[in-house]
Amino acid sequence: MWYVTRYEDVRAIILDTARFTTVSEHSLLLDTFGVHLLTTEGALHERYRLAVQPHFTASFIRNHLEASIRAAAAGLVERFRLAGRAELRGAFARRLPIQAMLIACGLPLDAEPHIRRWYDGFEAALANFTRDPPVRLRAQHDVAALHEFLESAMRAATSRRDESLLGALVNAPAATRLAADEIKRNLSIILFGGISTVEALILNTLWALFEHPAVLNRLRSDLTLLPQVLDEPSGG
């Protein structure tokens, strides 16, 4: 396996599915979560992608998820606003991504402590290049616990109709519906794929603003600039 870091190389490899593949028996993603979006290619990958893609378009997020995520963020800020001080990683950056992913997937927010604990085990497993047995065993136990949690949520979702990803997957037409195990495996990787990256985005953005007070003051006086502050560059 190869670890690619340069932008042009990454872009070329992503676009060249004929010569490069994510399918590998050595993959820690496969070892931890099984077969899912990030460990498949071709028709199977396309089947998984089409099942979840509509719920991650900009318009869907704006129309169906943004208000709830804003409310979650405001709730976290309210907890420390009056104190005037906060350890932002623990009080906000580590928590909001988990809550946002729970909202997107249609899972209860009170599952946050469990998701945090399972995520820490998965994060260790995905860096376990020495295949340390205790690390793998913990991840296996955490995957089993997560799947049990998702199984219960899937049963509940069959009796309701909402705009959540879980609801859409469980109540999809029989011709396109993923099997229960496929739903659990793909929900697992989606649920945990949006946590550490967003945590880092929040913290790095805040650090950059605190290091450049003129930009911070300009942003405070004109919040319409916020999208430009957060926008990820499209080039190298």
Side-chain angles (χ1 to χ4, degrees):
M1 299 178 68
W2 293 86
Y3 187 62
V4 184
T5 58
R6 294 191 303 181
Y7 175 83
E8 290 301 332
D9 293 337
V10 171
R11 186 174 187 276
I13 288 171
I14 287 175
L15 295 177
D16 188 352
T17 57
R19 292 193 300 157
F20 299 97
T21 179
T22 60
V23 178
S24 170
E25 61 180 321
H26 305 294
S27 167
L28 292 173
L29 278 170
L30 178 65
D31 187 60
T32 304
F33 292 108
V35 177
H36 52 76
L37 268 165
L38 300 186
T39 59
T40 54
E41 298 282 7
L44 184 57
H45 173 82
E46 190 72 0
R47 179 167 172 263
Y48 291 160
R49 184 181 66 81
L50 291 175
V52 303
Q53 187 178 33
H55 281 70
F56 292 98
T57 63
S59 60
F60 184 91
I61 292 171
R62 183 168 52 250
N63 295 331
H64 299 289
L65 302 178
E66 183 175 322
S68 296
I69 294 173
R70 282 181 177 272
L76 292 174
V77 171
E78 188 62 26
R79 289 172 177 263
F80 59 76
R81 182 178 64 84
L82 296 179
R85 295 179 62 87
E87 196 287 296
L88 285 172
R89 186 184 188 200
F92 188 79
R94 278 172 61 89
R95 299 194 61 192
L96 181 61
I98 294 178
Q99 293 191 12
M101 294 309 297
L102 288 170
I103 290 168
C105 291
L107 297 167
L109 288 182
D110 61 9
E112 181 190 345
H114 302 296
I115 298 298
R116 178 79 262 169
R117 185 175 69 254
W118 293 332
Y119 181 83
D120 291 343
F122 297 150
E123 192 173 46
L126 296 180
N128 185 28
F129 295 104
T130 60
R131 304 280 175 153
D132 183 54
V135 175
R136 291 187 71 205
L137 183 62
R138 177 189 172 183
Q140 290 167 3
H141 288 163
D142 287 344
V143 166
L146 172 61
H147 281 196
E148 183 178 351
F149 165 72
L150 292 175
E151 185 77 41
S152 175
M154 288 165 62
R155 287 194 298 269
T158 59
S159 62
R160 68 174 191 268
R161 292 293 187 272
D162 58 28
E163 299 294 338
S164 71
L165 175 59
L166 179 63
L169 291 174
V170 169
N171 297 303
T176 58
R177 186 184 186 277
L178 303 182
D181 283 345
E182 291 178 310
I183 292 175
K184 286 184 283 190
R185 291 196 301 268
N186 281 289
L187 270 181
S188 297
I189 197 66
I190 290 170
L191 185 62
F192 290 96
I195 294 179
S196 63
T197 49
V198 178
E199 178 183 337
L201 170 67
I202 293 170
L203 294 173
N204 287 334
T205 301
L206 289 169
W207 177 83
L209 288 171
F210 295 150
E211 287 291 303
H212 298 84
V215 177
L216 177 58
N217 290 334
R218 185 182 173 194
L219 179 62
R220 281 172 166 164
S221 64
D222 184 3
L223 291 179
T224 63
L225 297 174
L226 188 58
Q228 298 177 45
V229 174
L230 294 173
D231 189 36
E232 295 184 355
S234 58

